Amino acid sequence: MGVSAIIVAYNSGAVIGPCLDSLAGVDEIIVVDNAADAALALRHGIRYIRNPRNEGYGSGNNIGAAAASHDWLLLVNPDAALQPDALAALLRAAQLYPDAALLMPQILNPDGSIEPSHDAGLFDKRAMPRRRSDPPPEGDLCADFMSGAVQLIRRDAFLAVGGFDPAIFMYYDDDDLCLRLRRAGHALVRVQAARAYHIGGGSSGGSASVLRLKHRNMAWSRLYLEQKYNGRGAAWRHGLALLLRRLGKGWLYRLSGNRAKAARDLAYASGFADFLLGRPAPRNL
């Protein structure tokens, strides 16, 4: 059961070292670099693919998957690191659950607390309470959504559903992939014995321009999936309500002097407007 690890990097030099160090057990490491980080190209023991432009997370993984040599793809965010024996536990679970196309370790925050990383499917969340305080379940489990921080995926299943949707630049790409894998009849399994640490938001830095791009894409991608699965009318109804809400909140925050929250909400509003006006996902910083 050979494993190709794929890491999509964007200005990730400050965090990618522990990630690469944690992948000693894989058969192949592929770094797809969206920002031409020369330091990554000099790292020994990796296959380095430099993209001429920032292709985004999903398309970067598609490029890595096309270059991969093995039957299993280990998709890892550059700000994530597997604990020792995590990969072995994932591979054991893959043998135990042959209907699983995607397996994920338990994701931990840097302080060791559990990061919520599995959920109901995207459109099923609407019928559930917004905040749930249930204790984390013990043992392996199936769910309709698994976080994209670390995923072990059967390459044939990944390719059969078309990989990541290239229209999505970032955000909700893991929701979309999980939806399509589930609709193809595959199980998604969180493996209790496998663990990985994740620094949320550490992959690409936190400058104002990067945060604006992230918020705009989160808004755009959400409406894109609404249209993809529920139609243009649903996307417009959902999008107009969210656009007006974020515009109102953004201007109220601006008037109150809270610049950070004003910038966040107005960036979301801009992303909703981009989609409703028929523009592609925002890509330029």
Side-chain angles (χ1 to χ4, degrees):
M1 295 176 67
V3 178
S4 297
I6 302 171
I7 307 166
V8 177
Y10 178 80
N11 291 332
S12 305
V15 297
I16 200 172
C19 174
L20 292 171
D21 293 340
S22 75
L23 300 177
V26 305
D27 301 284
E28 173 181 51
I29 299 175
I30 301 171
V31 172
V32 181
D33 189 0
N34 278 328
D37 189 337
L40 301 183
L42 297 174
R43 183 93 178 208
H44 293 294
I46 66 171
R47 293 179 62 185
Y48 178 78
I49 299 174
R50 174 179 172 178
N51 287 331
R53 67 168 190 164
N54 186 356
E55 298 290 345
Y57 175 79
S59 291
N61 274 304
N62 289 345
I63 291 168
S69 306
H70 298 283
D71 293 335
W72 286 91
L73 306 176
L74 182 67
L75 310 186
V76 189
N77 281 8
D79 60 351
L82 276 68
Q83 285 192 331
D85 299 325
L87 179 59
L90 289 171
L91 291 173
R92 285 195 300 271
Q95 298 257 8
L96 186 61
Y97 309 118
D99 60 336
L102 187 156
L103 303 103
M104 182 192 74
Q106 185 158 266
I107 305 298
L108 305 176
N109 295 309
D111 64 2
S113 61
I114 295 175
E115 176 183 302
S117 51
H118 69 274
D119 210 332
L122 177 63
F123 302 110
D124 295 328
K125 295 175 188 177
R126 295 171 176 170
M128 303 178 72
R130 293 194 64 177
R131 298 193 179 193
R132 301 189 298 278
S133 56
D134 298 337
E138 295 292 331
D140 298 344
L141 60 87
C142 287
D144 288 335
F145 167 77
M146 299 283 174
S147 164
V150 181
Q151 296 176 334
L152 181 69
I153 305 179
R154 296 181 191 272
R155 185 170 181 262
D156 57 354
F158 179 82
L159 296 177
V161 299
F164 286 102
D165 187 331
I168 301 174
F169 185 64
M170 65 170 76
Y171 294 113
Y172 291 101
D173 33 29
D174 47 1
D175 286 271
D176 179 57
L177 179 64
C178 289
L179 278 165
R180 286 183 283 120
L181 286 171
R182 289 291 296 120
R183 292 187 177 194
H186 301 292
L188 317 178
V189 177
R190 198 287 314 269
V191 180
Q192 174 77 13
R195 296 193 168 201
Y197 285 100
H198 180 225
I199 306 171
S203 299
S204 55
S207 69
S209 58
V210 168
L211 288 175
R212 175 175 168 76
L213 180 68
K214 288 181 175 182
H215 294 144
R216 288 178 66 197
N217 271 281
M218 192 173 292
W220 189 97
S221 298
R222 180 62 188 84
L223 293 189
Y224 174 79
L225 288 196
E226 193 71 36
Q227 176 173 287
K228 181 174 181 178
Y229 291 97
N230 297 322
R232 183 71 173 168
W236 267 87
R237 289 190 298 274
H238 197 58
L240 283 174
L242 290 171
L243 172 61
L244 293 173
R245 179 184 176 192
R246 290 290 184 172
L247 276 176
K249 289 178 64 178
W251 282 106
L252 285 173
Y253 282 129
R254 177 170 286 186
L255 290 171
S256 68
N258 193 329
R259 294 185 177 182
K261 288 187 176 180
R264 177 200 64 192
D265 283 300
L266 293 175
Y268 271 107
S270 178
F272 292 133
D274 285 333
F275 181 85
L276 295 175
L277 292 172
R279 297 169 182 159
R283 291 175 179 263
N284 296 323
L285 293 174

